[in-house]
Amino acid sequence: MTAFALGLVVVLSQAPAKKDVQVIKSNRAARAVATKSQAELDAEARAEDLKLRCADDPSACSGASPDAKAKELTAKEEALRKKEAELAEREEAMRRKQEEEKDEKEKLDKQRAEQKKHVEKQAKQVEQLMQGLGGALAGED
């Protein structure tokens, strides 16, 4: 250690420990920053970042101002919203089509069940008729 560092350690070790906490009053600028919304702070940070990037590499700016970039971003967000709406519309159409297909299938199943019931009833009637004919023929003998 250097003599200066050693002397600093000795002086600091002899300083009394202060237990009271002092409140430092903030100035107007600090209060203004504290009251800004997160969106405002983010916008300022983006603007400062853009300014620094433009200073370092002018080709990164490509002449677009923050307002132009904001408009471009808004246009992209609008296009995204349109695509999302289109997708939701397609999903709704597919859901309706599936429901219609399901209803049609249920209708066909119901018709088949009715036809099966009718065929079984006719088969039972034919069987009873055959038994009656068989009994009549047996009675004639």
Side-chain angles (χ1 to χ4, degrees), residues 37-67:
S37 69
Q38 186 63 41
E40 290 171 328
L41 293 172
D42 290 344
E44 286 179 7
R46 280 192 299 273
E48 185 66 27
D49 183 51
L50 180 64
K51 187 168 73 172
L52 291 173
R53 273 193 273 151
C54 289
D56 290 343
D57 184 16
S59 65
C61 293
S62 66
S65 68
D67 290 336

Side-chain angles (χ1 to χ4, degrees), residues 10-127:
V10 170
V11 169
L12 290 177
S13 64
Q14 293 177 357
K18 195 168 191 179
K19 294 184 180 181
D20 293 335
V21 176
Q22 290 182 346
V23 176
I24 300 172
K25 294 183 180 180
S26 63
N27 59 13
R28 185 176 296 161
R31 283 192 301 258
V33 169
T35 58
K36 285 186 180 179
S37 69
Q38 186 63 41
E40 290 171 328
L41 293 172
D42 290 344
E44 286 179 7
R46 280 192 299 273
E48 185 66 27
D49 183 51
L50 180 64
K51 187 168 73 172
L52 291 173
R53 273 193 273 151
C54 289
D56 290 343
D57 184 16
S59 65
C61 293
S62 66
S65 68
D67 290 336
K69 287 190 178 195
K71 287 179 183 178
E72 182 182 338
L73 183 60
T74 303
K76 286 181 180 181
E77 288 174 348
E78 184 63 31
L80 181 62
R81 278 191 217 104
K82 284 180 183 178
K83 286 191 179 211
E84 286 175 347
E86 210 175 277
L87 180 61
E89 187 177 314
R90 286 182 186 171
E91 288 176 348
E92 180 65 23
M94 285 182 64
R95 187 187 58 75
R96 281 190 302 239
K97 184 178 177 183
Q98 288 175 344
E99 286 179 3
E100 288 173 2
E101 289 173 353
K102 181 181 173 186
D103 291 344
E104 187 67 30
K105 184 180 179 214
E106 288 175 359
K107 185 178 175 184
L108 287 173
D109 288 346
K110 194 174 185 181
Q111 285 177 349
R112 286 184 187 140
E114 289 290 325
Q115 287 176 347
K116 184 178 177 183
K117 210 186 254 186
H118 183 67
V119 168
E120 287 175 355
K121 186 177 179 182
Q122 285 179 340
K124 197 173 195 180
Q125 288 175 349
V126 169
E127 187 179 325

